[in-house]
């Protein structure tokens, strides 16, 4: 475990270092005396588990301490990719006015500020608790290049582990409540890449957004993807067809207005979209597999459900809060947005979480049609559609996507 102390008072550094090393002798504790030194350190050093940051810091040795340098520093290390963001950051200050001014910025990033004092050791006890938690919960997971989110462990994540041969492990904890599968594969340029596969505890937008945000902030992957199953329109698609979510639209988002004394729902038209570079790469993939997407069927054993005319398409996918099994609701969604080709419960939240992440990030979602959300809805095609979605992810990542 590695801890970085950023403070311009040598006596305080000695005291903090002593408090940590007395309880945790195997922990590596290093320090920087200015903001500029800390920037250089984070530019050159990965895997800092905890940074203890004095709020009233000098930019360099020839400047006076000022909170503005510290606030600019924390914004820089979050937004600028060259800095390796510590996994945990704790602010430390003896000045109440500094704490009040910095509190909002720290709370936005889910960080903590401790009150330093020479007369009591409450701050030291808090630091020991933080270090103890990190030590006890630190996993042996490697640097992660890619994360995959599925709404369901079965059949969606199971299909990835079965049909995408990426040397998957068993479940591993990444914190006290979340477990993932770890895998590795070789990208198209011959480099080994590490990947995590996770599913939230429940389906739906809220749980998906929470898990996605957690994975991004814990591991800072270059790319994150979502795969799985969705409902389609009989007139537009067939069972097993794979849809790349060019855009995601939350059909529950909008407002009610009174019309002839009756409440009428007016849906929002806002959509979350793929980034241009990913959209273009999927165009290349669709062109390459235009007449041969069905070739993936060779890897699936249950011939009774195979669609020999499989298609790969890019379209708007509608996201909502409900599992649908009536054609009337599907028709209403299509009436509002004619470009919708599939309906499911997570992608809009997944895209929104990705777009809010402050670091550089590529993201996409691909889901395959397993039913038509009508009275004939059943689970017969869920495993097959999970398979076709998983193969789309694999083909895209291994054959078209460029890692840094």
């Amino acid at each position: 475990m590695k801890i970085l102390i950023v403070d311009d008072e040598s006596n305080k550094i000695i005291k903090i270092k002593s408090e940590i090393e007395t309880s945790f002798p195997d922990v590596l504790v290093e320090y920087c005396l200015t903001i500029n030194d800390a920037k250089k350190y984070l530019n050159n050093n990965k895997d800092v588990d905890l940074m203890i940051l004095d709020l009233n810091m000098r930019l360099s040795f020839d400047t006076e301490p000022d909170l503005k340098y510290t606030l600019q520093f924390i914004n820089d290390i979050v937004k600028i990719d060259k800095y390796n963001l510590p996994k945990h950051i704790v602010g430390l200050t003896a000045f109440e006015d500094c704490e009040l001014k910095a509190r909002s910025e720290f709370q936005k990033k889910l960080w903590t500020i401790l009150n330093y004092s020479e007369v009591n050791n409450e701050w030291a006890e808090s630091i020991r608790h933080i270090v103890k938690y990190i030590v006890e919960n630190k996993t042996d997971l490697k640097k992660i290049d890619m994360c995959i989110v599925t709404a369901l462990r079965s059949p969606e994540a199971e299909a990835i582990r079965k049909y995408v041969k990426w040397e998957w492990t068993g479940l591993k904890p990444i914190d006290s409540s979340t477990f993932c599968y770890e895998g590795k594969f070789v990208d198209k340029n011959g480099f080994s890449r590490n990947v995590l596969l996770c599913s939230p505890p429940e389906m739906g937008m809220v749980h998906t957004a929470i898990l996605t945000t957690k994975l991004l902030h814990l591991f800072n992957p270059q790319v994150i993807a979502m795969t799985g199953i969705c409902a389609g329109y009989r007139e537009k698609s067939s069972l097993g067809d794979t849809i790349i979510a060019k855009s995601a639209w939350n059909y529950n988002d909008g407002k009610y207005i009174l019309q002839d004394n009756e409440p009428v729902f007016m849906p929002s038209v806002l959509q979350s979209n793929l980034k241009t570079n990913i959209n273009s790469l999927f165009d290349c993939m669709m062109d390459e597999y235009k007449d041969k997407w069905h070739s993936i069927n060779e890897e699936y054993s249950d011939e009774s459900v195979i669609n020999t005319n499989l298609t790969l398409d890019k379209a708007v996918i509608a996201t909502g809060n409900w599992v649908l099994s009536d054609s009337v609701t599907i028709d209403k969604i299509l009436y509002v947005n004619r470009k919708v080709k599939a309906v499911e419960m997570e992608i809009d939240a997944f895209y929104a979480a990705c777009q809010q992440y402050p670091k550089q990030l590529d993201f996409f979602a691909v889901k395959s049609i397993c039913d038509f959300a009508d009275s004939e809805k059943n689970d017969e095609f869920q495993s097959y559609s999970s398979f076709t979605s998983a193969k789309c992810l694999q083909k895209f990542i291994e054959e078209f996507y460029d890692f840094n």
Side-chain angles (χ1 to χ4, degrees):
M1 179 179 175
K2 188 186 296 183
I3 296 175
L4 174 65
I5 301 170
V6 181
D7 202 301
D8 54 6
E9 296 182 29
S10 57
N11 289 338
K12 199 161 98 177
I13 291 173
I14 292 170
K15 190 167 185 179
I16 297 170
K17 200 168 182 291
S18 174
E19 291 287 350
I20 295 171
E21 291 177 340
T22 299
S23 300
F24 306 95
D26 295 328
V27 169
L28 174 63
V29 183
E30 299 183 308
Y31 64 89
C32 294
L33 295 170
T34 70
I35 292 295
N36 284 342
D37 286 342
K39 285 185 173 182
K40 290 177 184 176
Y41 184 95
L42 293 179
N43 188 34
N44 296 318
N45 291 272
K46 295 182 178 180
D47 302 323
V48 176
D49 296 286
L50 173 64
M51 180 170 71
I52 301 169
L53 175 64
D54 182 54
L55 297 186
N56 201 39
M57 281 295 299
R58 301 174 188 272
L59 181 63
S60 59
F61 288 110
D62 57 359
T63 61
E64 291 299 314
D66 197 314
L67 175 63
K68 68 181 182 182
Y69 298 133
T70 305
L71 295 181
Q72 185 60 52
F73 170 60
I74 63 174
N75 283 318
D76 285 347
I77 64 174
V78 166
K79 293 179 180 178
I80 300 176
D81 284 334
K82 70 177 182 178
Y83 298 120
N84 297 297
L85 188 68
K87 295 182 178 68
H88 304 269
I89 296 179
V90 173
L92 193 63
T93 184
F95 305 104
E96 187 177 348
D97 59 333
C98 278
E99 181 190 357
L100 292 173
K101 291 175 183 176
R103 185 181 297 164
S104 174
E105 285 299 317
F106 272 69
Q107 286 179 341
K108 283 181 198 175
K109 299 171 176 67
L110 304 180
W111 298 338
T112 301
I113 298 176
L114 301 178
N115 295 311
Y116 178 82
S117 172
E118 292 286 351
V119 298
N120 71 65
N121 263 14
E122 287 183 9
W123 62 270
E125 184 177 0
S126 295
I127 287 177
R128 283 195 296 271
H129 282 307
I130 293 168
V131 175
K132 184 174 184 290
Y133 174 83
I134 297 172
V135 168
E136 291 180 350
N137 292 278
K138 189 174 174 63
T139 72
D140 60 352
L141 290 172
K142 308 173 183 68
K143 170 70 175 70
I144 299 302
D145 301 289
M146 178 182 182
C147 292
I148 305 169
V149 176
T150 64
L152 300 167
R153 187 169 292 168
S154 175
E156 295 171 336
E158 286 182 359
I160 293 174
R161 296 182 68 224
K162 183 175 181 180
Y163 296 105
V164 180
K165 308 298 186 181
W166 283 355
E167 301 181 35
W168 299 105
T169 67
L171 284 172
K172 288 187 174 185
I174 60 171
D175 64 13
S176 59
S177 61
T178 308
F179 291 78
C180 294
Y181 302 102
E182 183 183 354
K184 62 180 179 180
F185 63 94
V186 177
D187 69 16
K188 69 175 191 175
N189 296 312
F191 293 99
S192 180
R193 301 294 176 181
N194 297 310
V195 56
L196 286 185
L197 169 62
C198 276
S199 303
E202 300 288 343
M203 293 170 20
M205 288 187 277
V206 172
H207 292 285
T208 296
I210 291 171
L211 176 60
T212 302
T213 301
K214 179 186 289 189
L215 291 173
L216 294 178
H217 284 274
L218 281 177
F219 298 105
N220 187 30
Q222 180 177 326
V223 59
I224 187 168
M226 185 169 209
T227 68
I229 54 179
C230 60
Y233 293 92
R234 287 187 183 275
E235 295 79 9
K236 291 187 173 187
S237 52
S238 301
L239 296 171
D241 286 352
T242 303
I243 311 296
I244 302 152
K246 179 180 180 180
S247 303
W249 167 58
N250 182 354
Y251 64 81
N252 296 136
D253 191 14
K255 66 178 180 179
Y256 279 93
I257 63 171
L258 275 178
Q259 200 170 83
D260 298 327
N261 291 322
E262 293 290 332
V264 176
F265 182 67
M266 302 294 291
S268 169
V269 297
L270 294 177
Q271 296 180 167
S272 302
N273 302 310
L274 276 181
K275 292 169 62 177
T276 303
N277 65 315
I278 300 298
N279 194 47
S280 298
L281 288 175
F282 271 116
D283 284 339
C284 295
M285 179 177 174
M286 290 171 63
D287 185 63
E288 174 70 22
Y289 282 96
K290 182 178 181 180
D291 299 315
K292 57 181 181 181
W293 186 236
H294 63 275
S295 63
I296 64 172
N297 284 328
E298 296 173 2
E299 299 180 47
Y300 199 75
S301 56
D302 186 357
E303 295 183 0
S304 67
V305 296
I306 283 179
N307 175 3
T308 57
N309 297 307
L310 274 182
T311 63
L312 177 63
D313 198 5
K314 185 149 53 76
V316 178
I317 293 184
T319 300
N321 294 324
W322 312 298
V323 175
L324 300 180
S325 59
D326 70 286
S327 57
V328 174
T329 303
I330 285 283
D331 289 341
K332 285 182 179 179
I333 294 169
L334 187 59
Y335 177 79
V336 174
N337 192 333
R338 306 301 296 182
K339 294 183 179 181
V340 169
K341 197 164 183 178
V343 180
E344 52 81 70
M345 296 176 62
E346 292 85 22
I347 294 178
D348 187 65
F350 174 73
Y351 277 11
C354 293
Q355 289 171 340
Q356 290 298 313
Y357 185 57
K359 294 272 191 178
Q360 179 68 29
L361 177 70
D362 290 329
F363 59 89
F364 63 89
V366 291
K367 292 202 174 186
S368 295
I369 294 166
C370 68
D371 60 59
F372 298 109
D374 55 19
S375 58
E376 297 179 28
K377 175 185 176 76
N378 61 58
D379 298 342
E380 182 182 357
F381 281 83
Q382 286 190 357
S383 294
Y384 176 60
S385 297
S386 296
F387 156 76
T388 62
S389 172
K391 296 308 291 184
C392 179
L393 170 125
Q394 182 183 18
K395 298 285 188 184
F396 179 75
I397 290 297
E398 291 184 351
E399 299 176 18
F400 297 90
Y401 185 73
D402 277 304
F403 285 88
N404 290 337

